[in-house]
Amino acid sequence: MTTRLSTADADFEARFSAFLVTKREASEEVDATVRDIITRVRTEGDAAVAEYTRRFDRFDIAKAGMRVERAEIEAAYEDADEDTLKALRLARERIEAHHRRQVPADLRYRDPLGVELGWRWTPIPAVGLYVPGGLASYPSSVLMNAVPAVVAGVERVAMAVPTPDGKLNPLVLVAADLAGVSEIFRIGGAQAIAAFAYGTETVSAVDKIVGPGNAYVAAAKRQVFGQVGIDMIAGPSEVLVVADGDNDPEWIAADLLAQAEHDTAAQSILMTDDADFADAVEAAVERQLKTLSRSKIAAASWRDFGAVVLVRSFEEVPGLVDRIAPEHLELATEEAENLLTRIRNAGAVFLGRHTPEAIGDYVGGSNHVLPTARSARFSSGLSVLDFVKRMSILRLEAEQLHALGPAAVALAKAEGLEAHGRSVSTRLNL
Amino acid sequence: MTTRLSTADADFEARFSAFLVTKREASEEVDATVRDIITRVRTEGDAAVAEYTRRFDRFDIAKAGMRVERAEIEAAYEDADEDTLKALRLARERIEAHHRRQVPADLRYRDPLGVELGWRWTPIPAVGLYVPGGLASYPSSVLMNAVPAVVAGVERVAMAVPTPDGKLNPLVLVAADLAGVSEIFRIGGAQAIAAFAYGTETVSAVDKIVGPGNAYVAAAKRQVFGQVGIDMIAGPSEVLVVADGDNDPEWIAADLLAQAEHDTAAQSILMTDDADFADAVEAAVERQLKTLSRSKIAAASWRDFGAVVLVRSFEEVPGLVDRIAPEHLELATEEAENLLTRIRNAGAVFLGRHTPEAIGDYVGGSNHVLPTARSARFSSGLSVLDFVKRMSILRLEAEQLHALGPAAVALAKAEGLEAHGRSVSTRLNL
């Protein structure tokens, strides 16, 4: 049964707190297995990658070639439906246009003492993009991960996608090509992450790895962190829909199901001040489930992790939203803008009644790679900033060194770092 | 013996590549121990923290109180030397002034279709700052970690610092107070990281943990990543000094030793086109070592990990610098600005002959928490951006939904996500 909570109930706080920490994924103990895979790929290179690919993907990359050839990409374009291609191109353009606004500015200035400070942003030289195989192999996610890297100026965007039993979604190749991915490898799992982190004969090492994956991929990313950069560890997706009673229950039910159909571990939450409306939405969910192709997945997600939170007033909404820190937040109310100013923790916010979250998944232009599992408390969706880094710049002349030097010498002394002090004082003839 | 490499040598590439992957730290296998500590703190709270503190720090926090009281902070101010206090205040002001320029701007705009896009930055609600105990307990690092958090608008900046045998550097308390730290706990190690990540009766959970620590702290941060955010995993410090023959060898030797005195695993590298100058610097290093209080540490670092790289021309410098990706880079040459434009991978750059790195450690205003161990390839020094996160914003009205909706429906269909498509089409009466 979908959970129903009401802020008017005496036990609300206890039930809401318990709801917040509900685990939606069984955490598999894969660390040791992953450690072995990484070690073998580090020491044996391509041979180890090929062996693991035979074992896990039942596919012989030694024979087929690890790298996807240009001809296969061309064939994928040929196969693609015209409407889909057009939509992918529109999505790419819109993502690019929006992400161009994220390119950070360099800075250089003199402070009142004449000290020059500043920074310079440069792209990460090489990035590895992981794309899951099978069901969750989404061309839209390829665009969302690769376009910001290309906009950032990353020279080499390599992609790894496993091909279980040799199968590969051709639209993934098309999306990669449209986005500007420079090389595509038919490999997956911890072995692909290890190849990206340490390099093999065929796969040159990258500097950062991004993209979602299963428990093995997530564990591998965690283990190679430091050797290379990684993005966030993605969990199952979630949406919180805040809706007043003036919404069409069918629309809101469709939004809840759009999240639920992703995964049985996905989570859809409705928050409203109108109990009758909540009932109408629940009834609409049940109705729509009957004709949905992924109804089994969506029904399980809604039953096990779905929730309806009744509030006494929309005044209660911002505090509750911040505690949930949802990946996706729909504010389907006239009060959307006002609420937004009082909310701090959410990955992406969709304002008003005509902004279903699915628009953001595909063609809004903003990124759909967003912090899950309450991590919007401390992290942001993927952006150009994830593909650049900043060199800090400092310049003093003799005059500024004379002004600031004595304080540096005093602090070096207080910290017992004599050579630090000397490197300053020797220039001051102290 | 300090390594000497020359780009003119036939074996340069092989030796330089090997030099780049030299391990400077023994990687301790502490994962299992750390996992146990985290589990016990999660389930037993304060009692487990107190027990580990007794065991590892030989200190009874149950008796002394886990939290540092106001009176102790006041006493620390009383004890502090006037020059040191003044220098700490100057450092705080300069760090604050520089970091204010890093506060990112919100954005909201309409694209040509009338779609509203944008983002809003908000501070991370609560941050935990880890400060090592004992030798590496530096007040300057407290400022460098805490001031950006306060500038970002973080409401709660909690600090954990272990007090081995009950000892605590009073200047650490002063720096914390000057920076605006809101609470200070006398705890350390993996148990402090676990308390920050999951909360105990005394320590409320935070949303992100920053600050350096030993192998146990680093392993604990890696394990709690996802539950909370973490900053980079800090390794031993390093400097690359690029200097032409017109420099004073004593100055450059002092800069190399300022890095070497940190830690036997620290690394100082001189890169020059002048072999005689290199000899003179090496001689000056040996001379200065004789009178340095931390000469044992500095000598071991210089002997084991120090290096002199001779280049045939400064044209070779940018490529080599990018491969080293040093934490600190001094460009002690008239060509500094020109070189800078061609360098991509470095944590912080110090330009000209009068900018010893130690100025940046203390009073330059820029941050001294910087990417080590070649991670400047993919990450940046600590900044205000590490203490804020971005909510992505999207708003369509009916008109924009009609314009973009069909493409979203097409992509949802291509990805087999029917409910995604429905959430759009139901609003279009398709």
Side-chain angles (χ1 to χ4, degrees):
Chain A
M1 256 311 272
T2 301
T3 306
R4 191 177 279 222
L5 304 170
S6 168
T7 59
D9 291 345
D11 63 351
F12 174 77
E13 181 52 40
R15 290 185 64 208
F16 186 68
S17 296
F19 173 74
L20 286 182
V21 297
T22 306
K23 268 236 176 282
R24 288 188 279 141
E25 275 186 313
S27 49
E28 290 177 69
E29 260 315 326
V30 300
D31 277 353
T33 310
V34 165
R35 203 174 301 279
D36 287 346
I37 294 173
I38 293 174
T39 305
R40 284 207 47 205
V41 172
R42 270 187 86 166
T43 49
E44 298 168 42
D46 281 352
V49 174
E51 187 190 318
Y52 287 119
T53 305
R54 260 195 306 277
R55 194 189 306 174
F56 299 130
D57 296 340
R58 301 158 303 280
F59 183 64
D60 188 350
I61 41 168
K63 205 184 275 177
M66 202 184 294
R67 202 163 157 170
V68 172
E69 302 292 337
R70 187 71 220 165
E72 290 174 76
I73 297 168
E74 297 299 339
Y77 273 104
E78 294 297 321
D79 282 355
D81 164 270
E82 201 45 54
D83 277 354
T84 310
L85 255 183
K86 222 175 110 186
L88 278 176
R89 289 207 169 93
L90 176 70
R92 193 206 59 76
E93 271 166 39
R94 293 188 55 83
I95 297 165
E96 184 183 322
H98 180 64
H99 286 72
R100 287 220 174 278
R101 296 186 178 244
Q102 295 174 340
V103 178
D106 294 344
L107 179 73
R108 194 79 182 265
Y109 68 97
R110 274 175 201 272
D111 75 7
L113 290 178
V115 176
E116 277 192 77
L117 295 110
W119 55 73
R120 192 157 79 82
W121 293 93
T122 57
I124 294 174
V127 165
L129 162 57
Y130 189 86
V131 178
L135 259 187
S137 196
Y138 296 130
S140 60
S141 293
V142 173
L143 294 181
M144 292 291 179
N145 279 279
V147 171
V150 172
V151 168
V154 173
E155 270 178 26
R156 192 178 147 236
V157 182
M159 183 171 117
V161 55
T163 59
D165 301 307
K167 283 181 196 132
L168 175 55
N169 180 351
L171 287 175
V172 161
L173 296 185
V174 170
D177 191 64
L178 287 176
V181 166
S182 32
E183 45 203 88
I184 304 172
F185 300 100
R186 266 181 264 270
I187 57 177
Q191 58 276 17
I193 302 300
F196 273 154
Y198 294 100
T200 70
E201 299 90 323
T202 305
V203 183
S204 301
V206 301
D207 302 299
K208 183 167 184 171
I209 302 172
V210 301
N214 63 18
Y216 291 83
V217 170
K221 281 169 69 179
R222 206 181 274 265
Q223 287 182 25
V224 300
F225 174 48
Q227 171 68 21
V228 295
I230 62 169
D231 62 349
M232 62 194 108
I233 306 286
S237 200
E238 72 241 357
V239 72
L240 168 58
V241 181
V242 175
D244 57 33
D246 293 340
N247 284 280
D248 184 333
E250 296 291 341
W251 294 11
I252 301 301
D255 295 355
L256 295 169
L257 286 173
Q259 206 59 42
E261 76 173 339
H262 265 296
D263 187 347
T264 54
Q267 181 164 61
S268 303
I269 307 172
L270 169 65
M271 189 176 286
T272 181
D273 59 352
D274 185 330
D276 292 339
F277 175 74
D279 292 340
V281 171
E282 287 208 68
V285 165
E286 297 307 326
R287 255 193 322 274
Q288 292 185 24
L289 268 174
K290 287 190 187 124
T291 59
L292 196 63
S293 49
R294 293 165 71 105
S295 68
K296 269 196 189 159
I297 294 169
S301 157
W302 178 242
R303 178 191 67 224
D304 296 339
F305 302 113
V308 174
V309 180
L310 283 173
V311 294
R312 284 162 295 189
S313 141
F314 268 44
E315 286 302 303
E316 294 177 329
V317 165
L320 296 174
V321 169
D322 279 348
R323 289 176 67 189
I324 295 171
E327 181 190 13
H328 304 106
L329 172 65
E330 287 188 15
L331 298 175
T333 149
E334 304 304 320
E335 290 301 298
E337 297 286 349
N338 179 29
L339 281 174
L340 176 63
T341 62
R342 296 159 61 203
I343 287 167
R344 296 190 301 184
N345 299 342
V349 191
F350 303 86
L351 297 167
R353 308 191 198 282
H354 294 87
T355 320
E357 184 272 324
I359 289 291
D361 282 341
Y362 295 120
V363 290
S366 48
N367 209 292
H368 81 198
V369 180
L370 295 163
T372 58
R374 301 187 62 229
S375 63
R377 294 174 294 129
F378 54 81
S379 61
S380 312
L382 198 71
S383 79
V384 167
L385 289 177
D386 293 295
F387 298 102
V388 293
K389 67 269 185 326
R390 193 187 52 242
M391 290 191 287
S392 172
I393 298 167
L394 193 62
R395 175 169 205 139
L396 281 67
E397 301 300 337
E399 186 188 338
Q400 289 79 38
L401 191 64
H402 276 86
L404 286 182
V409 173
L411 289 173
K413 193 180 157 203
E415 294 189 348
L417 295 172
E418 191 184 358
H420 279 63
R422 275 193 196 171
S423 73
V424 174
S425 58
T426 188
R427 286 173 165 89
L428 300 176
N429 289 321
L430 293 184
Chain B
M1 254 313 271
T2 300
T3 305
R4 193 179 276 224
L5 303 170
S6 169
T7 58
D9 291 346
D11 64 351
F12 174 78
E13 182 52 39
R15 289 185 65 209
F16 186 69
S17 295
F19 173 75
L20 285 182
V21 296
T22 307
K23 268 239 176 281
R24 289 188 278 140
E25 275 185 315
S27 49
E28 290 178 70
E29 258 314 325
V30 300
D31 277 352
T33 311
V34 164
R35 202 174 301 278
D36 287 346
I37 294 173
I38 293 174
T39 304
R40 283 206 49 204
V41 172
R42 268 187 87 165
T43 50
E44 297 167 42
D46 281 353
V49 174
E51 187 191 317
Y52 287 119
T53 305
R54 261 194 305 277
R55 193 188 307 173
F56 299 130
D57 296 339
R58 301 157 304 280
F59 183 64
D60 188 350
I61 41 168
K63 207 186 272 176
M66 201 184 294
R67 202 164 156 167
V68 172
E69 301 292 336
R70 188 71 220 166
E72 291 174 76
I73 298 168
E74 297 300 339
Y77 274 103
E78 293 297 322
D79 283 356
D81 165 88
E82 201 47 52
D83 277 355
T84 310
L85 256 183
K86 223 175 110 185
L88 277 175
R89 288 206 169 94
L90 176 70
R92 192 206 61 75
E93 272 165 38
R94 293 187 54 84
I95 297 165
E96 184 183 323
H98 180 64
H99 285 73
R100 285 218 175 280
R101 297 188 177 243
Q102 295 174 340
V103 178
D106 294 345
L107 179 73
R108 195 75 182 268
Y109 68 97
R110 273 177 200 271
D111 75 6
L113 290 178
V115 176
E116 277 192 76
L117 296 108
W119 53 74
R120 193 157 78 82
W121 293 93
T122 57
I124 293 174
V127 165
L129 161 57
Y130 189 86
V131 178
L135 260 187
S137 196
Y138 297 129
S140 60
S141 293
V142 173
L143 294 181
M144 292 290 179
N145 279 279
V147 170
V150 172
V151 168
V154 173
E155 269 178 27
R156 194 179 146 237
V157 182
M159 184 171 115
V161 55
T163 59
D165 301 306
K167 281 179 198 135
L168 175 54
N169 179 352
L171 287 175
V172 161
L173 297 185
V174 170
D177 191 64
L178 286 176
V181 166
S182 30
E183 45 203 87
I184 304 172
F185 300 99
R186 268 181 262 271
I187 58 177
Q191 58 274 20
I193 301 300
F196 273 155
Y198 293 100
T200 71
E201 300 89 323
T202 305
V203 183
S204 300
V206 301
D207 301 300
K208 183 167 183 170
I209 301 173
V210 300
N214 63 18
Y216 291 83
V217 170
K221 281 169 71 179
R222 207 181 272 264
Q223 287 183 24
V224 300
F225 174 50
Q227 170 69 22
V228 296
I230 62 169
D231 63 349
M232 63 194 106
I233 306 285
S237 202
E238 71 242 356
V239 71
L240 167 58
V241 181
V242 175
D244 58 33
D246 294 340
N247 284 280
D248 184 331
E250 296 291 341
W251 294 12
I252 301 300
D255 296 354
L256 295 168
L257 287 171
Q259 204 59 40
E261 75 172 341
H262 265 298
D263 188 344
T264 54
Q267 181 164 61
S268 303
I269 308 172
L270 170 66
M271 189 176 286
T272 182
D273 59 351
D274 185 329
D276 292 339
F277 175 73
D279 292 341
V281 172
E282 287 208 68
V285 165
E286 298 306 328
R287 254 193 325 274
Q288 292 186 25
L289 268 173
K290 287 190 186 125
T291 59
L292 196 63
S293 49
R294 293 165 71 104
S295 67
K296 269 196 188 156
I297 294 169
S301 157
W302 179 242
R303 179 191 67 222
D304 296 340
F305 302 114
V308 174
V309 180
L310 283 173
V311 294
R312 286 162 293 188
S313 141
F314 268 43
E315 286 301 304
E316 294 176 328
V317 165
L320 296 173
V321 169
D322 279 348
R323 289 176 67 188
I324 296 171
E327 181 191 13
H328 303 106
L329 173 65
E330 287 188 15
L331 298 176
T333 149
E334 303 304 321
E335 290 300 299
E337 297 285 350
N338 179 28
L339 281 175
L340 176 63
T341 62
R342 296 160 60 203
I343 287 168
R344 297 191 302 183
N345 299 341
V349 191
F350 303 86
L351 297 167
R353 308 192 198 281
H354 293 88
T355 319
E357 184 272 323
I359 288 290
D361 282 341
Y362 294 120
V363 290
S366 48
N367 209 291
H368 81 199
V369 180
L370 295 165
T372 57
R374 302 187 61 228
S375 63
R377 293 174 294 129
F378 55 81
S379 61
S380 311
L382 198 71
S383 79
V384 167
L385 289 177
D386 293 295
F387 298 102
V388 293
K389 68 268 183 330
R390 193 187 53 241
M391 290 191 287
S392 170
I393 298 168
L394 193 63
R395 175 168 205 140
L396 281 67
E397 300 302 336
E399 187 188 338
Q400 288 79 39
L401 191 63
H402 276 85
L404 286 183
V409 173
L411 289 173
K413 192 180 158 201
E415 294 189 348
L417 295 173
E418 189 183 359
H420 279 63
R422 274 193 198 173
S423 74
V424 175
S425 58
T426 189
R427 285 172 165 89
L428 299 176
N429 288 319
L430 294 182

